[in-house]
Amino acid sequence: MATFQHQRLTPWLLLAPQLVVVGLFFFWPAGQAIYQSLFTQDPFGLASTFSGLQNFIDVLHDPEYLAAFTVTILFTLSVAVASLCIALLLAVLADRVIKGSRFYRTLLTWPYAVAPAVAAVLWSFLFDPSLGRISHFLELVGVHWDHHINGGQALALVIIASVWVHVSYNFVFFLAGLQAIPKSLLEAAAIDAAGPWRRFWTITFPLLSPIMFFLLITNTTYAFFETFGAIDATTAGGPGGATRTLIYKIYEDGFKGLDVGHSAAQSVLLMILVAALTLVQFRYIERKAHY
Amino acid sequence: MATLTLNALKKRYPNGHLTLHGIDLKVAHGELIVIVGPSGCGKSTLLRSIAGLESITEGDLWIDDTRVNDKEPAQRDIAMVFQNYALYPHMTVFDNMAYALKNRGIPKQECEQKVRETAKLLGLEELLERRPRQLSGGQRQRVAMGRAIVRSPKVFLFDEPLSNLDAALRVQMRLEIRRLLKRLGTTAIYVTHDQVEAMTLADRLVVMNGGQVEQVGAPLELYSRPATRFVARFIGSPSMNLITLEATTSPLAKHPLVRDMPAEPMEKAATLGIRPEHLRITDPLQALFRLEVEMVEPLGADTLVYGHAAGIAEQIVVRLDGIHPLEESAQLYLGAERENLHFFDVEGRRV
Ligand SMILES: Nc1ncnc2c1ncn2[C@@H]1O[C@H](COP(=O)(O)OP(=O)(O)OP(=O)(O)O)[C@@H](O)[C@H]1O
Ligand SMILES: [Mg+2]
């Protein structure tokens, strides 16, 4: 007992690396962002004046910001839903494969090793209006594809590239989840007269729901923040802002427009948005996900 | 109520392992069959083949007058209680029990009524709203039973349903299961490796070994007339003493009880079996052998005595009634009644 209580230092030492990383890469920049969002800076960074919440008011009245917001929601929803659904389907299929299952599984996890930006470039080659295989095929069936001009197609391209990378990530989790479900549960359900389809929806799916919940959060965060590379490497927010997500707009305003104050205000708003979303997910969905 | 007929049933797993070597068995209406056998002998495989969870490689399986080899588990109208209970963890006890009824499209009201009836029968009424993880092992067991009973199937299958419970609870549940099954009058097959469970539950006992049926019969019949050396050793605790009769010149073989066996089987007899409880202390003239006591285990109600005898390679166990203050190295003259001697030939069959 005595030794247990007196070891006050050890837990802190063990936590230290994690705390340093979180502090250095999250709290410090976040603090900086909040601080800067309250000032108006001139483009050369020579002078800054306190402007209160004026930056936030400006941002919220900016139609471009609202457009970026819409694009982000569209993008996030599509990426999360599509990558979850495709990953689940693939995991269910891979779970049934007996011969050569290792091979399939390894193959399906590979895309995750590809950096999102590289994956995006790869897909933009495939869809390239003049060289691409897929755009060539689309031309044959009568669809004219040019994501340099067509905003909808540009968004679709970025979504496809992001989904492709993220499917593997979700796949690994789903497969592990599927294999953790005791076989006897499904056998009991088969004896209880549930067909394969019903077995999936009443037994497998509910038992996967904690994993589903976890993935929903990580996927949303992913779509909000981490697809910056994919967008920057392919469409750079264009054409005409069709793929300008909130995170990309922050980058554009801050680093290209050198408008630090407004960019920081957007960062803070994005942070609040994601925190709120995560909170909502925890409170409402987790209640259903638990058993 | 249904009959169940197994006709030369064979099961080969996809990896080529032949697990069931042709099982023949006829189960009557409302009969409670218990299958026992050592680990890995194919008990679960047999049960799963009957349930339809494993395909049958060869042979026929009949429920009443229908050949069900190619029917889905759901169409066979059986219910199975798994060793780990396999309760659906995300459903309440009520939903667990109602699941099979809902799947069969039974109206909600009837469903609810049946579940409540069954819950009452098993004393589960208080627990209907709980999830499996909020139940004790015994309660989970009961829910698993309830889930099987609620839809009144033709046949119940149990795969070691009590093996996860502690000893006291096991005795209690054993009695309850027997009472329940007799009350419902449903045909049932019950797999266990606990022979007390087997002896007390069974109408008929099936002893399996290495994918084959060694003997089928009433528990006491198997006890008093084991058909093979394997059954002789498997049924009864402590197990039967099996003494190799090497040559007709050994002192034991010259004993009148052994020598006066009818000539023909005597030549074939390779093993003499005597249960520990059938050995009695007698006078030196009638004794089969003289035991040099090596170890004594006083259990109160009876005493187990272990030792060796001249000319016999195997260790002998004797079960004596009551308390016997025996020295280690004491000597006992032991005899037995003629009808309690069992002879087995070289292949292990009874002669
Ligand atoms: N899916 C399978 N594929 C190949 N062989 C199997 C499979 N399942 C079981 N076996 C083999 O079949 C034999 C019988 O197994 P089974 O599970 O029926 O034994 P059991 O009598 O139920 O044993 P226990 O008392 O330990 O439960 C074993 O040798 C086992 O290794
Ligand atoms: Mg088994």
Side-chain angles (χ1 to χ4, degrees), chain B residues 13-15 17 19 37-46 54 160 193:
Chain B
Y13 276 110
N15 66 359
H17 186 268
T19 303
S39 186
C41 71
K43 305 181 294 290
S44 298
T45 305
L46 179 59
E54 300 287 350
E160 310 201 17
H193 61 244

Side-chain angles (χ1 to χ4, degrees), chain A residues 28-95:
Chain A
W28 188 62
Q32 281 286 314
I34 292 173
Y35 174 75
Q36 285 177 349
S37 67
L38 301 175
F39 287 85
T40 304
Q41 252 179 354
D42 72 296
F44 305 104
L46 296 176
S48 68
T49 45
F50 182 77
S51 57
L53 294 178
Q54 190 55 46
N55 285 336
F56 290 93
I57 295 167
D58 292 347
V59 164
L60 289 174
H61 283 98
D62 178 4
E64 276 194 14
Y65 184 77
L66 298 181
F69 190 83
T70 316
V71 169
T72 305
I73 296 298
L74 208 64
F75 178 80
T76 305
L77 273 181
S78 317
V79 170
V81 170
S83 65
L84 281 174
C85 290
I86 296 173
L88 182 58
L89 182 73
L90 288 175
V92 168
L93 294 179
D95 190 39

Side-chain angles (χ1 to χ4, degrees), chain A residues 38 56 91 148 166 184 205 271:
Chain A
L38 301 175
F56 290 93
H148 300 305
H166 224 57
S184 58
F205 193 75
M271 212 149 58

Side-chain angles (χ1 to χ4, degrees), chain A residues 30-276:
Chain A
Q32 281 286 314
I34 292 173
Y35 174 75
Q36 285 177 349
S37 67
L38 301 175
F39 287 85
T40 304
Q41 252 179 354
D42 72 296
F44 305 104
L46 296 176
S48 68
T49 45
F50 182 77
S51 57
L53 294 178
Q54 190 55 46
N55 285 336
F56 290 93
I57 295 167
D58 292 347
V59 164
L60 289 174
H61 283 98
D62 178 4
E64 276 194 14
Y65 184 77
L66 298 181
F69 190 83
T70 316
V71 169
T72 305
I73 296 298
L74 208 64
F75 178 80
T76 305
L77 273 181
S78 317
V79 170
V81 170
S83 65
L84 281 174
C85 290
I86 296 173
L88 182 58
L89 182 73
L90 288 175
V92 168
L93 294 179
D95 190 39
R96 293 182 174 200
V97 173
I98 297 167
K99 268 191 196 149
S101 55
R102 271 246 183 102
F103 175 73
Y104 286 112
R105 284 170 203 172
T106 314
L107 215 62
L108 283 167
T109 45
W110 266 354
Y112 196 59
V114 178
V118 177
V121 170
L122 199 121
W123 280 95
S124 74
F125 271 133
L126 287 172
F127 277 104
D128 189 277
S130 47
L131 303 168
R133 292 268 152 186
I134 298 178
S135 51
H136 178 69
F137 175 77
L138 286 174
E139 206 72 52
L140 291 183
V141 297
V143 179
H144 179 71
W145 184 280
D146 189 347
H147 56 257
H148 300 305
I149 298 168
N150 186 321
Q153 292 181 351
L155 188 58
L157 173 73
V158 187
I159 288 173
I160 290 173
S162 301
V163 167
W164 185 71
V165 174
H166 224 57
V167 158
S168 333
Y169 178 81
N170 295 346
F171 170 79
V172 173
F173 280 90
F174 277 135
L175 189 63
L178 283 173
Q179 296 190 329
I181 296 177
K183 281 265 175 307
S184 58
L185 286 187
L186 297 170
E187 290 174 349
I191 291 177
D192 280 346
W197 193 245
R198 203 170 150 71
R199 274 202 297 273
F200 179 80
W201 287 113
T202 55
I203 309 288
T204 311
F205 193 75
L207 291 180
L208 280 181
S209 60
I211 290 178
M212 191 72 106
F213 171 65
F214 164 78
L215 288 177
L216 192 64
I217 292 178
T218 50
N219 278 267
T220 316
T221 326
Y222 166 86
F224 267 117
F225 291 124
E226 289 172 32
T227 44
F228 172 80
I231 291 172
D232 193 47
T234 50
T235 60
T243 57
R244 190 190 291 134
T245 56
L246 289 176
I247 190 84
Y248 200 78
K249 186 166 159 47
I250 290 171
Y251 163 77
E252 269 190 351
D253 289 357
F255 291 85
K256 290 190 178 157
L258 295 179
D259 184 358
V260 177
H262 284 117
S263 172
Q266 291 177 37
S267 302
V268 173
L269 286 176
L270 183 60
M271 212 149 58
I272 292 170
L273 182 68
V274 171

Side-chain angles (χ1 to χ4, degrees), chain B residues 62-73:
Chain B
W62 300 78
I63 294 178
D64 286 332
D65 302 325
T66 324
R67 184 173 180 276
V68 296
N69 282 43
D70 303 317
K71 298 233 161 149
E72 290 293 313

